[in-house]
Amino acid sequence: MEQIETSETFFTNDPIDLTSLPQAEALVFEPLEKKFIRVMYAQCLVAWMSLIGIGWAGFAIADFLGWWIWALALTALFFICMSFNLTVMRRAYRFRGYAMREEDISYRRGIFFTKIHTIPYNRVQQVRIAQDIFDRIAGLYSITVHTAAQTGEGVSIYGLQKETAEQIKAYVLAKIDHP
């Protein structure tokens, strides 16, 4: 045991047994609403169709001989990439989830590069519920839990029913007011 004596107090900094730490994998993550996969698909399709439209417009404006062959080739490439993107998206959706414990909230995402973001309630500064246009059409909401960190760190959980988002917000705010 290492002790440092100062004029007023003793400071200790003992090593801890790493096997006694809680395991993040032991968290039970709640899945997102099933309708959220449709929101993800819609956002993906709008993005890819916009790229295809921009590509076609660019080739048409360039107006060089045989532009339509290049435009068709680009469109075929985009459709192949979009198909891959949609396939991966289904797997990514199944992996997303959130977990709430007594002292923190966690959100998991990513199939190639997994990220579990955990925020202790005592670091929370703001909780916000929002909807984008796709969420509104599907009747879903997102909740964002902000901290005071300069990096803008926070947890955003998408694809929630309104009641679930409001319950999470109320719980987090209660934990902030009464730790």
Side-chain angles (χ1 to χ4, degrees):
M1 174 159 109
E2 179 183 338
Q3 284 191 343
I4 300 173
E5 185 175 339
T6 64
S7 61
E8 298 173 12
T9 61
F10 286 102
F11 174 78
T12 62
N13 194 10
D14 296 329
I16 59 170
D17 178 20
L18 296 179
T19 59
S20 67
L21 294 175
Q23 299 298 311
E25 294 81 26
L27 282 174
V28 177
F29 288 91
E30 296 292 324
L32 304 178
E33 290 294 323
K34 290 185 189 326
K35 290 191 282 186
F36 185 61
I37 188 68
R38 288 185 271 167
V39 170
M40 292 173 65
Y41 283 159
Q43 291 170 335
C44 179
L45 289 172
V46 165
W48 280 107
M49 292 303 158
S50 297
L51 285 174
I52 290 170
I54 290 169
W56 272 83
F59 283 120
I61 290 170
D63 194 32
F64 60 87
L65 187 60
W67 70 267
W68 58 273
I69 294 173
W70 289 102
L72 287 176
L74 181 66
T75 302
L77 176 65
F78 278 175
F79 272 109
I80 290 168
C81 292
M82 182 178 66
S83 299
F84 176 75
N85 191 202
L86 291 172
T87 302
V88 169
M89 195 173 289
R90 175 159 289 291
R91 296 192 76 202
Y93 161 76
R94 286 187 286 219
F95 194 73
R96 288 183 180 210
Y98 65 96
M100 297 179 67
R101 297 186 293 187
E102 292 176 7
E103 301 298 327
D104 56 37
I105 184 168
S106 297
Y107 183 63
R108 179 185 67 188
R109 66 180 292 171
I111 55 175
F112 296 120
F113 303 101
T114 304
K115 180 179 179 180
I116 300 175
H117 195 140
T118 302
I119 294 181
Y121 297 127
N122 64 358
R123 297 282 187 203
V124 173
Q125 293 291 314
Q126 177 184 4
V127 183
R128 181 175 52 92
I129 295 175
Q131 273 185 317
D132 65 18
I133 187 71
F134 297 102
D135 288 335
R136 182 167 291 167
I137 292 168
L140 297 175
Y141 292 79
S142 65
I143 185 167
T144 303
V145 180
H146 295 279
T147 66
Q150 292 289 333
T151 60
E153 289 291 319
V155 170
S156 293
I157 303 171
Y158 303 94
L160 300 172
Q161 291 290 336
K162 183 177 183 178
E163 299 78 28
T164 305
E166 288 174 348
Q167 287 173 343
I168 292 172
K169 181 178 180 178
Y171 183 80
V172 172
L173 290 176
K175 293 297 275 186
I176 294 170
D177 291 338
H178 307 289

